[in-house]
Amino acid sequence: MNMVGIITKKKLGQALDREEIDFFVEGAAKQTVPDYQLAAMLMAIRLNGMTAQETTHLALAMRDSGDVADLSAIPGIKVDKHSTGGVGDTATLVLAPLVAACGVPVAKMSGRGLGHTGGTLDKLESIPGFQIGLSEEDFVRQVNEIGVAVIGQTGSLAPADKTLYALRDVTATVDSLPLIASSIMSKKLASGADAIVLDVKTGSGAIMQTLEGSIELAKAMVDIGTLAGKPVSGIVTGMSQPLGTHVGNALEVKDAIDVLSGRTKGDLLEVSLLLGSHMLMLAGAARSEEEARGKLTAALDSGAGLEKLRQMIAAQHGDPAVCDDWTLMPQAAVIREVKCGQAGWVASMDTTALGLAAQAMGAGRIRKTDPLDYSVGFILPVRIGDRVEADTPFCTLFARNEIEADAAEAAVRRAVTIGDAPVERPPLWYAIVTKDGIRKACIIASDGAGGLFPDRTDMQSKNTL
Ligand code: URA
C-alpha cells in the first residue's frame, strides 16, 4: 500500500476501504507519511467527501491511534456531552452539576477555546486555584466520591487527529463535514463515555452556519456513534446569538452560577435543561424529556445543582466561595456601561464577530501559547427580537484598559444590528437527531420568564445516512 495510490483514489472520488484509511491514519499518528501527502489527502477528502462508512472508519481509526480512557471503575452509565463550539456557551458548567445532582455520574473531558469560541477548561481555570489536570485514577475517584469531574484530556487521545487538525488549520480544510465529524467523534469515543449527547450549533457563531449543514453534521456524528456501538443524541441548537448573556471566562462562570442559584432564567438555562434531559434519558435515569426535565428542575430549585458545583470546585482545588462572592474571581480594571443609543428592535447578531471581540480583549487566544486574561469580556443583555430604546442598557464591557474598551465597544456595536421593524425571536433548538430519525421542532427563545419547553411541530422520516 502506498500513499500516492490512496490519494489518487480519493482524488477520483472513489471510496477508500478500511485498510487504506488505517494506513493514512497510522501515517498521521506516527508521522511516517509526510505532511505534504497528508495535506493532499485532506484536500481530496474536502473536495470529494466521504461515505458514512468511510467517515466512521476514519473516526474509529483516529480513536484507536492513541489511548482509550477506561471508565469502567465508575458504576453506572457515563454520558458525555460535547458542543461543536459557541459564544457565551457555558452549558457544561450548568448541566454537569445538575445531571450529577440527579445521580448520573459525569466524567467529562473538556477542551480549550478555539478561534472565536470559548472553552470550558479556560473558564474553569478562571476560578482561583482550580486544577484541570487530574490523573485518570484521581478523575475516577472524584467521580465516584462526588459524582462529577471536568478535566483536560488524560493520556494521548486520538494523536492522529492532533496531527491532521493542525494541518487542516493551515490548508483550508477545516470546513469538511466528514473531517469535522470524525475529528470530534474520535476524541469523544476515546474519552471512554458509554453514551454521548452532542450539542451541534447552527447560526452565525457556529462551525456549520446553515441549518441543513448542522443537521447533516449531527446525522454524521450520530451514525458514527451508532456504528461504534454507543448511543448518541445530536441536538441542533441556535447560535445566531450568544447562548448566555455573558461572554468571557470569569464572566461565564458567573453566568453559570447565577443560573444554578436561580437568579437567571433564559436561553442558557433552557438549552442546559434540554441537553441535560437527553443525558438523563441516555443514562436510563428518565424515560421522557418531561420526566428528565422535572428531575433537573428539582435539582435546580433545591440548590442541589449549585452545591454539586461547589463540591466539584473544592475537589479540584478551586475556591468554592466564588459561588457566593463573585468578587473573588479575577476583576477587570475597566468596567464600562454602554447604552443602545437608538430605538428599534434587535434584528440580528454576527456571533462570530462577538466571539472575536472577546478574543481581542484577551478572553481568547490568537496563538496557541497566548496567555488569557480571565477577567475580560462583556455582558450583552439584549436578545434578538427585543424592543430597545436609546437609553436601554446595551452592554457592559470588562476590559484591561480604556483603549481596548473603545475597540470592544465599536466591535460589539458593529456585530449587533438594531432595525426599525419587529423581529421574531430565533428558536432555541431546531432538531434532535438519534439513530431512530430526526425530530424537528422550534421553540421561541425564552424571554427570561423561563419554563418554556419544546413544542413538537414535525416528525421527520428516518435518518437515512
Ligand atoms: N472541533 C474538533 O474537535 N474538530 C473539528 O474538526 C472541528 C471542531
Side-chain angles (χ1 to χ4, degrees), residues 30-173:
K30 298 192 173 151
Q31 320 249 297
T32 49
V33 170
D35 281 359
Y36 49 83
Q37 286 185 320
L38 296 176
M41 181 68 186
L42 290 169
M43 187 56 83
I45 295 172
R46 165 65 183 80
L47 296 177
N48 289 326
M50 280 185 141
T51 64
Q53 195 65 248
E54 284 178 289
T55 308
T56 299
H57 285 160
L58 182 56
L60 297 185
M62 291 203 291
R63 173 198 67 185
D64 295 336
S65 68
D67 301 331
V68 176
D70 178 5
L71 303 182
S72 57
I74 302 171
I77 300 173
K78 279 76 67 186
V79 187
D80 201 353
K81 168 259 169 190
H82 179 81
S83 157
T84 57
V87 177
D89 174 9
T90 194
T92 292
L93 296 189
V94 176
L95 63 77
L98 284 178
V99 169
C102 293
V104 171
V106 180
K108 179 148 177 51
M109 290 184 204
S110 283
R112 297 201 176 276
L114 199 67
H116 70 281
T117 65
T120 300
L121 295 184
D122 297 326
K123 294 170 205 176
L124 285 171
E125 282 185 334
S126 73
I127 300 169
F130 196 96
Q131 299 294 316
I132 53 102
L134 300 189
S135 67
E136 201 163 314
E137 199 186 337
D138 288 343
F139 180 47
V140 166
R141 185 180 315 117
Q142 181 175 321
V143 178
N144 281 336
E145 281 174 11
I146 64 167
V148 58
V150 180
I151 62 165
Q153 275 184 15
T154 62
S156 162
L157 296 195
D161 175 66
K162 205 168 177 184
T163 305
L164 294 176
Y165 195 85
L167 280 174
R168 284 167 60 205
D169 215 16
V170 291
T171 55
T173 51

Side-chain angles (χ1 to χ4, degrees), residues 180-462:
I180 296 170
S182 56
S183 165
I184 292 174
M185 288 304 289
S186 65
K187 288 173 288 204
K188 287 292 108 184
L189 294 171
S191 66
D194 301 308
I196 303 159
V197 173
L198 297 166
D199 179 11
V200 182
K201 302 290 186 190
T202 193
S204 63
I207 194 167
M208 288 283 172
Q209 301 203 342
T210 67
L211 181 55
E212 295 69 29
S214 305
I215 292 178
E216 239 189 287
L217 178 60
K219 276 168 64 176
M221 293 196 287
V222 168
D223 280 352
I224 292 170
T226 305
L227 288 166
K230 306 252 181 192
V232 178
S233 298
I235 317 227
V236 179
T237 66
M239 191 37 69
S240 55
Q241 59 189 336
L243 179 58
T245 52
H246 294 44
V247 180
N249 295 293
L251 287 165
E252 290 183 48
V253 171
K254 178 179 186 312
D255 212 7
I257 292 169
D258 285 345
V259 169
L260 285 171
S261 58
R263 284 189 292 273
T264 298
K265 310 258 187 246
D267 297 359
L268 173 59
L269 171 62
E270 290 302 320
V271 167
S272 302
L273 291 176
L274 178 63
L275 298 169
S277 296
H278 283 264
M279 289 175 78
L280 291 196
M281 287 190 291
L282 285 183
R287 282 178 307 276
S288 66
E289 274 173 22
E290 287 74 10
E291 184 188 348
R293 187 183 164 98
K295 290 188 172 186
L296 292 165
T297 308
L300 180 76
D301 294 345
S302 68
L306 183 61
E307 184 52 29
K308 266 298 159 221
L309 180 66
R310 274 198 199 96
Q311 287 174 7
M312 181 178 92
I313 293 173
Q316 293 185 237
H317 309 289
D319 182 358
V322 298
C323 293
D324 307 293
D325 180 0
W326 188 63
T327 63
L328 298 171
M329 296 286 285
Q331 301 292 311
V334 173
I335 300 178
R336 182 186 296 179
E337 309 279 352
V338 179
K339 303 273 188 217
C340 283
Q342 73 183 96
W345 282 267
V346 179
S348 65
M349 296 195 194
D350 179 341
T351 310
T352 296
L354 288 170
L356 291 174
Q359 183 194 45
M361 296 174 88
R365 297 177 189 82
I366 291 166
R367 280 170 303 272
K368 223 169 145 180
T369 48
D370 286 346
L372 297 184
D373 187 323
Y374 295 125
S375 71
V376 299
F378 49 86
I379 301 175
L380 187 69
V382 294
R383 310 293 289 165
I384 294 174
D386 281 357
R387 167 74 200 178
V388 296
E389 307 302 331
D391 62 352
T392 303
F394 177 63
C395 72
T396 306
L397 300 164
F398 297 77
R400 290 184 283 212
N401 54 53
E402 296 290 347
I403 294 171
E404 289 183 354
D406 288 345
E409 182 176 338
V412 175
R413 275 205 191 283
R414 269 196 308 275
V416 179
T417 308
I418 297 177
D420 50 17
V423 174
E424 270 197 24
R425 294 182 188 279
L428 271 185
W429 66 279
Y430 295 81
I432 297 176
V433 183
T434 65
K435 69 175 180 19
D436 299 320
I438 304 175
R439 197 176 89 202
K440 280 193 178 168
C442 291
I443 50 169
I444 301 306
S446 146
D447 59 7
L452 291 178
F453 202 60
D455 213 13
R456 269 130 254 163
T457 55
D458 174 23
M459 282 293 285
Q460 284 263 312
S461 58
K462 295 259 174 193

Side-chain angles (χ1 to χ4, degrees), residues 1 6 16-26 57:
M1 196 161 315
I6 299 173
L16 303 176
D17 62 31
R18 185 160 199 147
E19 286 68 39
E20 290 163 333
I21 290 171
D22 285 346
F23 185 85
F24 160 59
V25 169
E26 192 180 322
H57 285 160

